[in-house]
Amino acid sequence: MYMSEIKWHKKVKNSAEQQHMKRDALLDVAADSFVVYGYRGTSLDQIAKTLNVTKAALYYYVKNKEDIFFQCISISMRKVIECAENAQYNGENGLDKLIFFFQEYAELSVNRYGSSLILEGERSLNSQNKAVIRTKKLEAQKYLVNIIDEGIADGSIKNCNTKYVAVLLFSAFNLMHQWYRPDGGMSPRDLANEILKPVITGLKTIQE
C-alpha cells in the first residue's frame, strides 16, 4: 500500500484536517505521476487507482487534471520561495546565503515537487495558468537577485550582472533531476557544492 493511499484513508476526528490530508495525498500521487509520465501520460483514472478510490471522489478536491497539475506546480513554486526566505536567515553574508539557497534548492530539485515539474508546466499549462507560474518564477528569481546584490554590497561577491548569474545558476540546477541518482554516493547538498564550486570561485572577492 502506498503511503499516499494510507494518508487518504486514514481517519481523523477533525473534518478539515481530513480534507487537507486527502488533498495532500492526491497531489503527492499526482506529482509523482506527472514527473514520471508527464502531463499527457497522467490520467485521473490512474491517480484514483493509486489512491484506491473512485475517480468521482477526486472531484471533491479538484476541478480536472489541469487543476491538479496547476496546484502541484504552485506547491513547487511556494517551496522555491521558501528556500529563498530560509536563506535570509542562514549565512553571515550574501555569498553564504547564495550557497545555502542552492543547497536547499538542490534537494527540492530532485523530489516530487522539483524543477522537472515546474519545467513540465511551461509546456502543458494553459496560457492563464502559465502567466501565474511565470510571475511566481520571476518572484523567485528576484529573491535570488536580491541575495546576490546583498553579497555585492557586503563585499562577499564581486560586482556582476546579478540577473544573468541568477539565470545561469537556476539553469544548472534545473537539470539535476535528469542525472541525479539517490544511490550515486552524494547527497543533493553535496552535489550542490560541487556545481557551485566553479561559479563561486569566479564570484568570490577573496580567493583562498
Side-chain angles (χ1 to χ4, degrees):
M1 182 180 291
Y2 292 98
M3 182 59 68
S4 295
E5 182 183 340
I6 294 172
K7 285 171 61 178
W8 179 283
H9 294 284
K10 183 179 179 180
K11 301 296 183 183
V12 294
K13 293 182 179 180
N14 186 292
S15 61
E17 182 182 352
Q18 183 92 55
Q19 292 177 15
H20 183 75
M21 188 164 52
K22 288 186 175 183
R23 176 181 174 275
D24 284 350
L26 190 166
L27 295 179
D28 285 350
V29 167
D32 284 338
S33 184
F34 289 135
V35 168
V36 175
Y37 303 109
Y39 181 76
R40 292 185 178 181
T42 297
S43 69
L44 293 180
D45 287 322
Q46 175 187 347
I47 294 170
K49 182 178 180 180
T50 302
L51 290 169
N52 195 24
V53 299
T54 65
K55 185 167 72 171
L58 304 181
Y59 289 111
Y60 184 80
Y61 302 94
V62 294
K63 298 176 183 177
N64 49 41
K65 187 172 76 169
E66 173 151 353
D67 183 35
I68 298 176
F69 191 45
F70 178 70
Q71 288 190 49
C72 286
I73 298 176
S74 295
I75 290 173
S76 298
M77 293 310 308
R78 186 175 72 240
K79 290 180 180 293
V80 175
I81 299 299
E82 287 173 359
C83 288
E85 291 174 341
N86 291 339
Q88 291 296 335
Y89 303 99
N90 289 274
E92 296 182 0
N93 55 46
L95 183 61
D96 288 345
K97 293 174 182 179
L98 177 70
I99 295 170
F100 181 87
F101 171 83
F102 279 107
Q103 289 173 338
E104 295 265 293
Y105 189 70
E107 293 186 337
L108 172 62
S109 292
V110 298
N111 74 22
R112 61 164 59 102
Y113 289 108
S115 55
S116 60
L117 191 63
I118 297 171
L119 294 173
E120 176 71 14
E122 285 290 312
R123 296 184 289 269
S124 304
L125 288 172
N126 65 37
S127 58
Q128 181 178 356
N129 285 338
K130 274 184 182 178
V132 173
I133 296 303
R134 284 174 180 168
T135 297
K136 292 181 182 295
K137 289 176 71 173
L138 288 173
E139 181 182 356
Q141 181 176 304
K142 184 177 180 180
Y143 269 100
L144 183 57
V145 166
N146 288 342
I147 289 173
I148 300 171
D149 282 337
E150 181 180 342
I152 294 172
D154 65 34
S156 61
I157 295 176
K158 291 179 181 178
N159 189 32
C160 60
N161 188 312
T162 53
K163 179 180 178 181
Y164 289 152
V165 171
V167 170
L168 169 67
L169 288 171
F170 271 128
S171 297
F173 279 86
N174 284 342
L175 295 175
M176 273 190 69
H177 70 276
Q178 296 182 3
W179 51 263
Y180 171 75
R181 296 293 180 270
D183 58 356
M186 295 182 72
S187 70
R189 296 180 78 87
D190 290 335
L191 287 170
N193 292 334
E194 291 300 312
I195 294 171
L196 286 169
K197 275 182 181 179
V199 180
I200 297 307
T201 298
L203 288 176
K204 287 175 69 173
T205 52
I206 299 177
Q207 302 300 318
E208 296 178 352

Coordinates of all heavy atoms in Angstrom, one line a residue, residues 115-171:
S115 N 12.2 20.7 -9.9 CA 12.3 21.5 -11.1 C 11.7 20.8 -12.3 O 11.2 21.5 -13.2 CB 13.7 21.9 -11.4 OG 14.5 20.7 -11.5
S116 N 11.7 19.5 -12.4 CA 11.1 18.8 -13.5 C 9.6 19.1 -13.7 O 9.1 19.2 -14.8 CB 11.4 17.3 -13.4 OG 10.7 16.7 -12.3
L117 N 9.0 19.2 -12.5 CA 7.5 19.5 -12.5 C 7.3 20.9 -13.0 O 6.4 21.2 -13.8 CB 6.9 19.3 -11.1 CG 5.4 19.3 -11.0 CD1 4.8 18.2 -11.8 CD2 5.0 19.2 -9.5
I118 N 8.1 21.8 -12.6 CA 8.0 23.3 -13.0 C 8.2 23.4 -14.5 O 7.5 24.1 -15.2 CB 9.0 24.1 -12.2 CG1 8.7 24.1 -10.7 CG2 8.9 25.6 -12.7 CD1 9.7 24.7 -9.8
L119 N 9.3 22.7 -15.0 CA 9.6 22.8 -16.4 C 8.4 22.1 -17.2 O 8.1 22.6 -18.3 CB 10.9 22.1 -16.7 CG 12.1 22.7 -16.1 CD1 13.4 21.8 -16.3 CD2 12.4 24.1 -16.7
E120 N 7.8 21.1 -16.8 CA 6.7 20.5 -17.5 C 5.6 21.4 -17.6 O 4.9 21.5 -18.6 CB 6.3 19.2 -16.7 CG 5.1 18.5 -17.3 CD 5.3 17.8 -18.6 OE1 6.5 17.6 -19.0 OE2 4.3 17.5 -19.3
G121 N 5.4 22.3 -16.6 CA 4.3 23.2 -16.6 C 4.4 24.3 -17.7 O 3.4 24.7 -18.2
E122 N 5.7 24.6 -18.1 CA 5.9 25.5 -19.2 C 5.3 25.0 -20.5 O 4.9 25.8 -21.4 CB 7.4 25.8 -19.4 CG 8.0 26.7 -18.3 CD 7.5 28.1 -18.5 OE1 7.5 28.6 -19.6 OE2 7.1 28.7 -17.5
R123 N 5.2 23.7 -20.6 CA 4.7 23.1 -21.9 C 3.2 22.8 -21.8 O 2.6 22.7 -22.9 CB 5.5 21.8 -22.2 CG 7.0 22.0 -22.4 CD 7.6 20.7 -22.8 NE 7.7 19.8 -21.7 CZ 8.8 19.7 -20.9 NH1 9.8 20.6 -21.1 NH2 8.8 18.9 -19.9
S124 N 2.7 22.5 -20.6 CA 1.4 21.9 -20.6 C 0.3 22.7 -20.0 O -0.9 22.4 -20.1 CB 1.5 20.6 -19.8 OG 2.5 19.7 -20.3
L125 N 0.6 23.8 -19.3 CA -0.5 24.6 -18.7 C -1.1 25.5 -19.8 O -0.5 25.8 -20.8 CB 0.1 25.5 -17.6 CG 0.5 24.8 -16.3 CD1 1.2 25.8 -15.4 CD2 -0.7 24.3 -15.6
N126 N -2.4 25.9 -19.5 CA -3.0 26.9 -20.4 C -2.4 28.3 -20.2 O -1.6 28.5 -19.2 CB -4.5 26.9 -20.2 CG -4.9 27.4 -18.8 OD1 -4.3 28.3 -18.2 ND2 -6.0 26.9 -18.3
S127 N -2.7 29.2 -21.1 CA -2.0 30.5 -21.0 C -2.2 31.3 -19.7 O -1.3 31.9 -19.2 CB -2.4 31.3 -22.2 OG -3.8 31.5 -22.2
Q128 N -3.4 31.2 -19.2 CA -3.7 31.9 -17.9 C -2.8 31.3 -16.8 O -2.2 32.1 -16.0 CB -5.2 31.8 -17.6 CG -5.5 32.5 -16.3 CD -7.0 32.5 -16.1 OE1 -7.8 31.9 -16.8 NE2 -7.5 33.0 -14.9
N129 N -2.8 30.0 -16.7 CA -2.0 29.4 -15.6 C -0.5 29.6 -15.8 O 0.2 29.7 -14.8 CB -2.4 27.9 -15.4 CG -3.8 27.7 -14.8 OD1 -4.3 28.6 -14.1 ND2 -4.4 26.6 -15.1
K130 N -0.1 29.5 -17.1 CA 1.3 29.8 -17.3 C 1.7 31.2 -16.9 O 2.8 31.4 -16.3 CB 1.5 29.7 -18.9 CG 1.8 28.3 -19.4 CD 2.1 28.4 -20.9 CE 2.4 27.0 -21.5 NZ 2.7 27.1 -22.9
A131 N 0.8 32.2 -17.1 CA 1.1 33.5 -16.6 C 1.3 33.6 -15.1 O 2.2 34.3 -14.6 CB 0.0 34.5 -17.1
V132 N 0.5 32.9 -14.4 CA 0.6 32.9 -12.9 C 1.9 32.3 -12.5 O 2.6 32.8 -11.7 CB -0.6 32.1 -12.3 CG1 -0.4 31.9 -10.8 CG2 -1.9 32.8 -12.6
I133 N 2.3 31.1 -13.1 CA 3.5 30.5 -12.7 C 4.7 31.3 -13.1 O 5.7 31.4 -12.4 CB 3.6 29.1 -13.3 CG1 2.4 28.2 -12.8 CG2 4.9 28.4 -13.1 CD1 2.4 28.0 -11.3
R134 N 4.7 31.9 -14.3 CA 5.8 32.8 -14.7 C 6.0 33.9 -13.7 O 7.1 34.3 -13.5 CB 5.6 33.3 -16.1 CG 5.8 32.2 -17.2 CD 5.4 32.7 -18.6 NE 5.7 31.6 -19.6 CZ 5.2 31.6 -20.8 NH1 4.5 32.7 -21.2 NH2 5.5 30.7 -21.6
T135 N 4.9 34.5 -13.2 CA 5.0 35.6 -12.3 C 5.7 35.1 -11.0 O 6.6 35.7 -10.4 CB 3.6 36.1 -11.9 OG1 3.0 36.7 -13.1 CG2 3.7 37.2 -10.8
K136 N 5.4 33.8 -10.6 CA 6.0 33.2 -9.4 C 7.5 32.9 -9.6 O 8.3 33.1 -8.8 CB 5.2 32.0 -9.0 CG 3.8 32.2 -8.5 CD 3.1 30.9 -8.1 CE 1.7 31.1 -7.6 NZ 1.7 31.9 -6.4
K137 N 7.8 32.5 -10.9 CA 9.2 32.3 -11.2 C 10.0 33.5 -11.2 O 11.1 33.6 -10.7 CB 9.3 31.6 -12.6 CG 8.8 30.2 -12.6 CD 8.8 29.6 -14.0 CE 10.2 29.3 -14.5 NZ 10.2 28.6 -15.8
L138 N 9.4 34.6 -11.7 CA 10.1 35.9 -11.6 C 10.3 36.4 -10.2 O 11.3 37.0 -9.8 CB 9.3 37.0 -12.4 CG 9.3 36.8 -13.9 CD1 8.4 37.8 -14.6 CD2 10.8 37.0 -14.5
E139 N 9.3 36.1 -9.3 CA 9.4 36.4 -7.9 C 10.6 35.6 -7.3 O 11.4 36.2 -6.5 CB 8.1 36.1 -7.2 CG 8.1 36.4 -5.7 CD 6.9 36.0 -5.0 OE1 5.9 35.5 -5.7 OE2 6.8 36.2 -3.8
A140 N 10.7 34.3 -7.6 CA 11.8 33.5 -7.1 C 13.2 34.1 -7.6 O 14.1 34.2 -6.8 CB 11.6 32.1 -7.5
Q141 N 13.2 34.4 -8.9 CA 14.4 35.0 -9.4 C 14.8 36.3 -8.7 O 16.0 36.6 -8.5 CB 14.3 35.2 -10.9 CG 15.5 35.8 -11.6 CD 15.4 35.9 -13.1 OE1 15.0 34.9 -13.8 NE2 15.6 37.1 -13.6
K142 N 13.8 37.1 -8.4 CA 14.0 38.4 -7.7 C 14.6 38.1 -6.4 O 15.5 38.9 -5.9 CB 12.7 39.2 -7.6 CG 12.9 40.6 -7.0 CD 11.6 41.3 -7.0 CE 11.8 42.7 -6.4 NZ 10.6 43.5 -6.4
Y143 N 14.1 37.1 -5.6 CA 14.7 36.8 -4.3 C 16.2 36.5 -4.5 O 17.0 37.0 -3.7 CB 14.0 35.6 -3.7 CG 12.8 35.9 -2.9 CD1 11.5 35.8 -3.4 CD2 13.0 36.3 -1.5 CE1 10.4 36.0 -2.6 CE2 11.9 36.5 -0.7 CZ 10.6 36.4 -1.2 OH 9.5 36.7 -0.4
L144 N 16.5 35.7 -5.5 CA 17.9 35.3 -5.7 C 18.8 36.5 -6.1 O 19.9 36.7 -5.6 CB 18.0 34.2 -6.7 CG 19.4 33.6 -6.9 CD1 20.1 33.1 -5.7 CD2 19.4 32.6 -8.0
V145 N 18.3 37.3 -6.9 CA 19.0 38.5 -7.3 C 19.3 39.4 -6.1 O 20.4 40.0 -6.0 CB 18.2 39.3 -8.4 CG1 18.7 40.7 -8.6 CG2 18.2 38.6 -9.7
N146 N 18.3 39.5 -5.2 CA 18.5 40.3 -4.0 C 19.6 39.8 -3.2 O 20.3 40.5 -2.5 CB 17.2 40.4 -3.2 CG 16.1 41.3 -3.9 OD1 16.4 42.1 -4.7 ND2 14.9 41.1 -3.5
I147 N 19.7 38.4 -3.1 CA 20.7 37.8 -2.3 C 22.1 38.1 -2.9 O 23.1 38.4 -2.2 CB 20.5 36.3 -2.2 CG1 19.3 35.9 -1.3 CG2 21.8 35.6 -1.7 CD1 18.9 34.5 -1.3
I148 N 22.2 38.0 -4.2 CA 23.4 38.4 -4.9 C 23.8 39.8 -4.7 O 24.9 40.2 -4.5 CB 23.4 38.0 -6.4 CG1 23.1 36.5 -6.6 CG2 24.7 38.4 -7.1 CD1 22.8 36.1 -8.0
D149 N 22.8 40.7 -4.9 CA 23.0 42.1 -4.6 C 23.5 42.4 -3.2 O 24.4 43.2 -3.0 CB 21.7 42.9 -4.8 CG 21.4 43.1 -6.3 OD1 22.3 43.1 -7.1 OD2 20.2 43.3 -6.6
E150 N 23.0 41.6 -2.3 CA 23.4 41.8 -0.9 C 24.9 41.4 -0.7 O 25.7 42.0 0.0 CB 22.6 40.9 0.0 CG 23.0 41.0 1.5 CD 22.1 40.1 2.4 OE1 21.0 39.7 1.9 OE2 22.5 39.8 3.5
G151 N 25.3 40.3 -1.5 CA 26.7 39.9 -1.4 C 27.6 40.9 -2.1 O 28.7 41.1 -1.6
I152 N 27.2 41.6 -3.1 CA 28.0 42.6 -3.7 C 28.1 43.8 -2.7 O 29.2 44.4 -2.6 CB 27.3 43.1 -5.0 CG1 27.4 42.0 -6.1 CG2 28.0 44.4 -5.6 CD1 26.6 42.3 -7.4
A153 N 27.0 44.1 -2.1 CA 27.0 45.3 -1.1 C 27.9 45.0 0.1 O 28.6 45.9 0.6 CB 25.6 45.6 -0.7
D154 N 27.9 43.7 0.6 CA 28.7 43.4 1.7 C 30.1 43.0 1.4 O 31.0 42.8 2.3 CB 28.0 42.4 2.6 CG 27.9 41.0 2.0 OD1 28.8 40.6 1.2 OD2 26.9 40.3 2.3
G155 N 30.5 42.9 0.1 CA 31.8 42.6 -0.3 C 32.2 41.2 -0.5 O 33.3 40.8 -0.8
S156 N 31.2 40.3 -0.3 CA 31.5 38.8 -0.4 C 31.4 38.3 -1.8 O 31.9 37.2 -2.1 CB 30.6 38.0 0.6 OG 29.2 38.2 0.2
I157 N 30.7 39.1 -2.7 CA 30.6 38.7 -4.1 C 31.0 39.9 -5.0 O 30.8 41.0 -4.7 CB 29.1 38.4 -4.4 CG1 28.6 37.2 -3.6 CG2 28.9 38.2 -5.9 CD1 27.1 36.9 -3.8
K158 N 31.8 39.5 -6.0 CA 32.2 40.5 -7.0 C 31.1 41.2 -7.7 O 30.0 40.6 -7.8 CB 33.1 39.9 -8.0 CG 34.5 39.4 -7.5 CD 35.2 38.7 -8.7 CE 36.6 38.2 -8.2 NZ 37.3 37.5 -9.4
N159 N 31.3 42.4 -8.1 CA 30.3 43.1 -8.9 C 30.1 42.3 -10.2 O 31.0 41.9 -10.9 CB 30.8 44.5 -9.3 CG 29.7 45.3 -9.9 OD1 28.5 45.1 -9.6 ND2 30.1 46.2 -10.8
C160 N 28.8 42.0 -10.5 CA 28.4 41.2 -11.7 C 27.0 41.5 -12.1 O 26.3 42.3 -11.4 CB 28.5 39.7 -11.3 SG 27.4 39.2 -10.0
N161 N 26.6 41.0 -13.2 CA 25.2 41.1 -13.7 C 24.4 40.1 -12.9 O 24.4 38.9 -13.3 CB 25.2 40.9 -15.2 CG 23.8 41.2 -15.8 OD1 22.8 40.8 -15.2 ND2 23.8 42.0 -16.9
T162 N 23.7 40.6 -11.9 CA 23.1 39.7 -11.0 C 22.0 38.9 -11.6 O 21.8 37.7 -11.3 CB 22.5 40.5 -9.8 OG1 21.6 41.5 -10.3 CG2 23.6 41.1 -9.0
K163 N 21.3 39.5 -12.6 CA 20.2 38.7 -13.3 C 20.7 37.6 -14.0 O 20.2 36.4 -14.0 CB 19.4 39.7 -14.2 CG 18.3 39.0 -14.9 CD 17.5 40.0 -15.8 CE 16.4 39.3 -16.6 NZ 15.7 40.2 -17.6
Y164 N 21.8 37.8 -14.8 CA 22.4 36.7 -15.6 C 23.0 35.6 -14.7 O 22.9 34.4 -15.1 CB 23.5 37.3 -16.5 CG 22.9 38.1 -17.7 CD1 23.6 39.1 -18.3 CD2 21.6 37.9 -18.1 CE1 23.1 39.9 -19.3 CE2 21.1 38.6 -19.2 CZ 21.8 39.6 -19.7 OH 21.3 40.4 -20.8
V165 N 23.6 36.0 -13.6 CA 24.1 35.0 -12.7 C 23.0 34.1 -12.1 O 23.1 32.9 -12.0 CB 24.9 35.6 -11.5 CG1 25.3 34.6 -10.5 CG2 26.2 36.3 -12.1
A166 N 21.9 34.8 -11.7 CA 20.7 34.0 -11.2 C 20.2 33.0 -12.2 O 19.9 31.9 -11.9 CB 19.6 35.0 -10.8
V167 N 20.0 33.5 -13.5 CA 19.5 32.6 -14.6 C 20.5 31.5 -14.8 O 20.1 30.3 -15.0 CB 19.3 33.5 -15.9 CG1 19.0 32.5 -17.0 CG2 18.2 34.5 -15.7
L168 N 21.8 31.7 -14.8 CA 22.8 30.7 -15.0 C 22.7 29.6 -14.0 O 22.7 28.4 -14.3 CB 24.2 31.3 -15.0 CG 25.4 30.3 -15.0 CD1 25.5 29.6 -16.2 CD2 26.7 31.1 -14.7
L169 N 22.6 30.0 -12.7 CA 22.5 29.1 -11.6 C 21.3 28.3 -11.6 O 21.3 27.0 -11.4 CB 22.7 29.8 -10.3 CG 24.1 30.3 -10.0 CD1 24.2 31.2 -8.8 CD2 25.1 29.1 -9.8
F170 N 20.1 28.9 -11.8 CA 18.9 28.2 -11.9 C 18.9 27.2 -13.1 O 18.5 26.0 -12.9 CB 17.7 29.1 -12.1 CG 17.1 29.7 -10.9 CD1 16.9 31.0 -10.7 CD2 16.7 28.8 -9.9 CE1 16.3 31.5 -9.5 CE2 16.1 29.3 -8.7 CZ 15.9 30.6 -8.5
S171 N 19.5 27.6 -14.2 CA 19.6 26.7 -15.4 C 20.4 25.4 -15.0 O 20.0 24.3 -15.4 CB 20.2 27.4 -16.6 OG 19.4 28.5 -17.0

